[in-house]
Amino acid sequence: MTLLLLFFPISDTLWDLAIAEVEKRESPDDDGKRLEVWEKSILFMGNKNGGKTTIILRCLEREEIPKPTLALEYTFGRRARRHNTPKDIAHFWELGGGTSLLELIRIPITSNNIRSFAVVLVLDLSKPNELWTTMEKLLQVTRNHVNKILTKLEKTNPEVATEIKQRMRNNLQRDHPDYELVDPFPIPLVIIGSKYDIFHEFDSEMRKIISKTLRFVSHYYGASLVFTSKSEALLLKARVLINHLAFGYDKSKSVSVDHGKPLFIPAGLDSLSQIGPPPASESDIGKMCANTPLELWKKVFEKTFPPKSSCDLQDTKDPAQDLQYAEYEVDVMRAQKNQELEQYKRNASKSWKEMDFDSD
């Protein structure tokens, strides 16, 4: 307390100190530049047990053991761009349960933060039969929600809506040959293919199909693509892309498109001509009915990797039975209520059987 009195008058309230801090941040620094605090938000989603939590912990440089994500979880990180400057803030949201909790996507993405929001989609490369379904459901629900927000902004704040749409178009240069052929995701998107160590053991033709498909999807949506695993070197590449979204770090210009190696392709640095046609014979492609290039790639991919049914992808485990979330008092009360419910069912069944119905 004595130290505080040496620096601040006794009359200063907490509110006075807060105002002074804001004024300090907004005043020019030694170079005459205004100090601006960045505040970004990122939603991580993807396959259940796909490695989302591990990636977040590594990005935040936290030495913690990953735990299963229940529903929607939140954490944050802070970074200073240079010495003696205010720290920028990044809000990290993680959606658990694979595709079983899609309705929670609308919680972190709002009209207030849409300008500074990004999505990281983590796809488990070791489960190709779940890959397209997981990707399609999560991106479709996210895109629909974002588009609803943009539609409202067009009425209330058209300049912001236009800025967001144009920013995503700018991922490709106007003279890029694919500029009119792609359909950019409405907010920044990074696609991470996780568990590359397992994926690397797949047959080379299977790896090629998965890699080419994800290259096309990423390029079509104006997204960055990176393959990673628990390897520190590969995690570092994922961190580069995420730190660019979260803290505005320099965007990497290195590219790796060799299907025999982990892919690393920042947004805007690929092309349809380099990716090539869908990996199928001309006769097979000719028999497929598709309205868009994306739909054609989906049909080709699912011919090799038939999707699992929706029931297979649902998380059927009851979180209330997970020992990770055990609370003695709550669990005792729950057990008591379960017993009362079972007793009610037995009594109701007995009463039903004893009822005498008049026959016509």
Side-chain angles (χ1 to χ4, degrees):
M1 181 62 70
T2 305
L3 289 175
L4 286 175
L5 293 176
L6 289 174
F7 288 102
F8 303 113
I10 297 176
S11 59
D12 279 355
T13 64
L14 185 60
W15 182 247
D16 295 325
L17 299 180
I19 293 175
E21 178 65 18
V22 170
E23 290 176 347
K24 178 183 176 182
R25 293 186 178 188
E26 292 182 345
S27 62
D29 61 9
D30 295 337
D31 299 326
K33 297 178 180 178
R34 187 174 294 278
L35 296 176
E36 180 185 0
V37 177
W38 288 20
E39 193 165 342
K40 307 281 186 174
S41 299
I42 301 178
L43 172 61
F44 289 76
M45 56 188 185
N47 291 90
K48 179 178 171 59
N49 298 322
K52 299 182 293 296
T53 305
T54 299
I55 293 170
I56 291 174
L57 291 176
R58 294 305 300 127
C59 285
L60 297 177
E61 299 178 355
R62 294 179 185 171
E63 299 296 333
E64 301 176 16
I65 298 175
K67 297 179 180 179
T69 302
L70 181 67
L72 184 66
E73 297 193 3
Y74 168 83
T75 187
F76 69 95
R78 303 178 71 198
R79 295 279 191 282
R81 272 170 277 175
R82 59 181 187 273
H83 179 65
N84 202 28
T85 60
K87 290 185 177 181
D88 298 326
I89 303 170
H91 306 280
F92 286 61
W93 297 85
E94 181 183 357
L95 179 69
T99 59
S100 63
L101 300 170
L102 297 173
E103 66 277 5
L104 297 181
I105 289 175
R106 60 186 175 82
I107 294 176
I109 310 176
T110 69
S111 58
N112 293 326
N113 64 17
I114 191 70
R115 294 176 71 179
S116 58
F117 210 99
V119 170
V120 174
L121 176 65
V122 181
L123 298 173
D124 188 340
L125 295 174
S126 70
K127 299 177 180 178
N129 298 86
E130 298 180 13
L131 192 149
W132 193 283
T133 302
T134 300
M135 173 179 66
E136 184 176 55
K137 286 187 175 182
L138 289 170
L139 292 184
Q140 187 174 40
V141 171
T142 304
R143 184 167 206 155
N144 290 343
H145 176 62
V146 171
N147 284 340
K148 287 180 180 178
I149 293 176
L150 292 178
T151 299
K152 291 181 180 179
L153 281 177
E154 286 174 352
K155 299 176 181 178
T156 60
N157 199 336
E159 291 183 359
V160 171
T162 301
E163 174 199 325
I164 293 172
K165 292 178 181 179
Q166 191 57 48
R167 182 181 61 192
M168 294 312 300
R169 269 288 171 189
N170 290 341
N171 274 336
L172 278 186
Q173 298 295 326
R174 285 191 174 274
D175 58 354
H176 193 289
D178 304 333
Y179 188 81
E180 298 296 336
L181 302 176
V182 297
D183 184 19
F185 204 69
I187 55 178
L189 172 65
V190 169
I191 297 179
I192 297 179
S194 65
K195 302 188 181 179
Y196 178 80
D197 50 334
I198 300 175
F199 170 77
H200 188 62
E201 301 300 321
F202 285 8
D203 172 78
S204 60
E205 192 60 30
M206 291 175 63
R207 295 203 311 270
K208 183 177 180 181
I209 294 173
I210 296 171
S211 297
K212 286 190 67 172
T213 300
L214 287 179
R215 280 184 66 185
F216 171 80
V217 171
S218 298
H219 183 58
Y220 188 75
Y221 283 140
S224 297
L225 175 65
V226 59
F227 284 0
T228 188
S229 68
K230 291 183 179 179
S231 159
E232 194 63 34
L234 293 184
L235 280 172
L236 181 60
K237 289 190 173 184
R239 284 176 59 189
V240 168
L241 294 176
I242 294 170
N243 282 333
H244 171 68
L245 295 178
F247 301 108
Y249 287 9
D250 290 341
K251 187 176 181 180
S252 175
K253 294 183 179 179
S254 65
V255 177
S256 175
V257 296
D258 185 346
H259 296 148
K261 299 178 181 179
L263 298 180
F264 182 83
I265 312 172
L269 299 184
D270 210 344
S271 68
L272 295 177
S273 61
Q274 294 181 46
I275 297 169
S281 65
E282 290 186 14
S283 59
D284 285 342
I285 291 178
K287 297 174 184 176
M288 296 176 180
C289 296
N291 297 319
T292 65
L294 187 67
E295 192 175 330
L296 177 60
W297 278 82
K298 174 184 178 180
K299 289 182 179 294
V300 171
F301 183 83
E302 292 187 341
K303 183 179 180 182
T304 305
F305 303 106
K308 286 190 174 185
S309 66
S310 299
C311 295
D312 293 334
L313 294 177
Q314 292 294 326
D315 180 18
T316 55
K317 183 178 179 181
D318 182 0
Q321 305 302 322
D322 194 329
L323 295 178
Q324 176 187 348
Y325 307 105
E327 293 187 46
Y328 178 75
E329 293 82 0
V330 175
D331 293 340
V332 169
M333 181 61 68
R334 180 184 175 87
Q336 179 183 331
K337 294 299 180 182
N338 285 340
Q339 291 178 358
E340 293 174 359
L341 177 60
E342 289 303 318
Q343 184 63 44
Y344 171 80
K345 289 180 179 178
R346 287 193 293 271
N347 292 340
S349 177
K350 183 178 179 182
S351 299
W352 180 266
K353 292 176 181 177
E354 290 175 352
M355 290 182 68
D356 184 19
F357 291 96
D358 294 330
S359 57
D360 293 336

